[in-house]
Amino acid sequence: MGESTSVIVVGGGFAGLTCAQHLAKNGAVSVTLIDRNNYHQFQPLLYQVATSQLASSDIAYPLRSVARKRPNLTVKVDEVVSIAPAAHSVTTASGATLAADYLVLAAGSQPSFFRTPGAREHSFPLYSLDDALRLRARVFDLFEQADRTPDDIPSGALEFVVVGGGPTGVEVAGALAEMIHGTLAAEYHDLAVSGARVHLIDHGHALLGPFSPKAHDYAAKVLTRDGVRISLGTGVTEVGPGHVNLSDGSTIRTRCVIWGGGLKAAAIAGSAGLPQGRGGRIDVDTDFTVDGLPGVYVIGDIANIPRSDGKAYPQLGSVAQQSGAWAAKNILAAIDGKHAKPFHYVDKGIMAMIGRGSAVAEAEIGGGHHELQGSVAFAAWLGVHAALMSGGRNRIDAFINWAWDYFGTRGPQVLDRSDAPRIDWGEDPEEVDDAAGAVAEPVSAAPGSTGLSTPVSA
């Protein structure tokens, strides 16, 4: 192995950070990790930051702390705006151009709004730490507004709409409902918090689609118990500043639409000139290379990683982590003049938190399918997610907060986002009146509306 081999890794998420760490274990490899944030975020727990179960510091770990003991690992906090794959080089927003012997793209994903009118401008995605803090500020701002001016409640101040019945949507809907009807009901003495409603909308016919039918039914049962209004077989046709229009013709007046409707590749994937497939993700071979571009590797959520059946692996944290470690091995093999090995994913199962003490977990073990529900799955969920977190202090702090939330009360409810867009209650041009726009209640749709006075960038 040569002494001056260099590698650029774009993205400090699960895939990129894991790849960089494995490469940096070899002192003969110089690794440059580029990310627009100076921290690694534990994306599966963003919804817990948004609902005050965890603090932002619990799920964010400084990238420079990772590199502290690795002199051959350099962190650059910058945003990559263009890529020259053939030259193994990238250009950043600051104007710097960096090149290396090998280039690894691990830029992750972004929300997919499926061309739904107004969704990008007026909904709250939940795919970054800033998204989580913005959503938390909006929820508490709405309760403060409703407490100050109860007349705003008919305009959707206490109606919350979650779009998407996958793990993100189910987890945030359950956590939000528990926070509203538990913590906030006890804190707002002059406000009829019991009138607040959480709606979960999905165009499919079951929650948690990748899970078993038993998990579908269990999730629906727990969410319904917690007061979530579930509307399946229903799509969102438009999101406005103060409303959501549904495919069944009904309208919900709400000022907070949480978008968990899907993912697509990060924007940089489209500017790299590389072959793209479903979701805008870059098509790769089984060893993470791109045809015709030796030395370029694409991993994690930005890649369509092929399975043996011809389909692509799902966008999961475990897939991203394992792809990062495997790509590092293949790069080291290439440096040594050895052949790369096709990716072999070890499926450790899937799980989702539905509420306090309620979760589902499924795994293929010993050739059999195993399912867990309730408190046992809840404990397994806590253990697995704590183990995946970066940094021992993060794990300890998370466990303390989880215990406090489980046995005590949730917090902190602090309006700490002075830069958050203010609500303009007269903004929605399609504000429906009680007579002409009365909302029919399909499975779970009810009157409500949504709004941001400035767009939320995805």
Side-chain angles (χ1 to χ4, degrees):
M1 181 179 289
E3 297 182 357
S4 59
T5 303
S6 58
V7 182
I8 290 175
V9 180
V10 179
F14 285 124
L17 180 59
T18 301
C19 183
Q21 287 178 304
H22 279 71
L23 288 171
K25 291 178 181 179
N26 190 307
V29 178
S30 175
V31 183
T32 300
L33 177 62
I34 308 173
D35 195 280
R36 61 183 174 183
N37 299 312
N38 69 345
Y39 55 84
H40 165 74
Q41 64 182 18
F42 193 83
Q43 193 167 354
L45 296 180
L46 287 173
Y47 80 95
Q48 294 201 4
V49 173
T51 55
S52 287
Q53 289 175 267
L54 295 176
S56 57
S57 58
D58 293 335
I59 70 165
Y61 192 77
L63 290 175
R64 295 193 185 279
S65 294
V66 177
R68 182 181 302 165
K69 297 181 180 180
R70 300 287 182 185
N72 59 326
L73 174 56
T74 300
V75 174
K76 297 293 184 183
V77 179
D78 209 340
E79 183 173 6
V80 172
V81 294
S82 65
I83 300 171
H88 300 168
S89 70
V90 300
T91 301
T92 67
S94 65
T97 298
L98 296 87
D101 299 310
Y102 294 86
L103 175 63
V104 180
L105 303 182
S109 57
Q110 62 177 329
S112 177
F113 297 103
F114 302 104
R115 300 181 182 177
T116 305
R120 179 181 296 276
E121 295 81 7
H122 303 300
S123 67
F124 289 82
L126 195 53
Y127 297 103
S128 71
L129 190 57
D130 196 51
D131 287 343
L133 296 174
R134 187 184 295 114
L135 173 57
R136 186 176 70 180
R138 169 51 63 97
V139 172
F140 294 137
D141 193 22
L142 284 169
F143 273 89
E144 295 295 345
Q145 177 70 22
D147 187 58
R148 289 192 302 268
T149 314
D151 290 344
D152 289 331
I153 294 177
S155 296
L158 297 183
E159 301 282 345
F160 301 88
V161 176
V162 181
V163 181
T168 297
V170 167
E171 290 181 331
V172 71
L176 183 59
E178 286 188 341
M179 182 181 73
I180 290 173
H181 299 300
T183 303
L184 299 186
E187 294 184 350
Y188 288 85
H189 304 292
D190 298 327
L191 184 63
V193 176
S194 60
R197 294 186 287 193
V198 177
H199 306 263
L200 179 57
I201 312 296
D202 192 84
H203 62 81
H205 297 283
L207 300 177
L208 299 177
F211 290 74
S212 70
K214 289 183 180 179
H216 302 166
D217 296 338
Y218 180 77
K221 178 182 178 180
V222 172
L223 291 178
T224 301
R225 179 201 67 191
D226 292 338
V228 177
R229 297 188 168 204
I230 303 171
S231 184
L232 299 176
T234 305
V236 173
T237 59
E238 182 191 18
V239 181
H243 71 277
V244 169
N245 290 337
L246 304 180
S247 60
D248 61 6
S250 61
T251 296
I252 302 177
R253 298 171 69 179
T254 173
R255 298 286 169 168
C256 185
V257 176
I258 303 165
W259 193 269
L263 295 172
K264 63 180 181 180
I268 194 66
S271 63
L274 299 175
Q276 293 177 267
R278 185 176 181 180
R281 291 179 282 273
I282 297 171
D283 291 328
V284 299
D285 294 329
T286 56
D287 60 354
F288 306 110
T289 59
V290 180
D291 285 339
L293 289 170
V296 176
Y297 295 76
V298 186
I299 57 177
D301 286 356
I302 199 173
N304 276 320
I305 305 171
R307 303 189 312 195
S308 58
D309 60 3
K311 298 180 180 179
Y313 284 102
Q315 281 63 57
L316 298 174
S318 56
V319 174
Q321 279 190 322
Q322 291 185 41
S323 70
W326 202 281
K329 293 178 182 178
N330 281 345
I331 291 171
L332 294 175
I335 294 172
D336 281 337
K338 299 177 181 178
H339 293 293
K341 294 182 179 180
F343 180 52
H344 175 69
Y345 175 61
V346 178
D347 189 353
K348 298 180 180 180
I350 52 178
M351 54 180 53
M353 174 81 77
I354 304 170
R356 186 177 302 187
S358 302
V360 292
E362 299 181 7
E364 303 293 332
I365 302 175
H369 182 76
H370 299 268
E371 299 182 22
L372 297 174
Q373 296 178 358
S375 58
V376 176
F378 176 76
W381 185 97
L382 294 178
V384 168
H385 283 73
L388 291 173
M389 297 176 93
S390 298
R393 182 171 181 176
N394 293 63
R395 297 187 185 100
I396 294 171
D397 288 345
F399 264 116
I400 291 173
N401 282 321
W402 282 331
W404 192 267
D405 179 71
Y406 188 81
F407 295 106
T409 57
R410 185 171 302 181
Q413 287 78 46
V414 179
L415 285 171
D416 56 356
R417 294 280 300 183
S418 59
D419 60 332
R422 300 295 93 191
I423 303 169
D424 181 357
W425 294 95
E427 178 186 17
D428 192 359
E430 295 190 23
E431 187 83 5
V432 292
D433 63 339
D434 292 337
V439 178
E441 295 202 24
V443 179
S444 68
S449 100
T450 233
L452 285 176
S453 57
T454 59
V456 174
S457 59

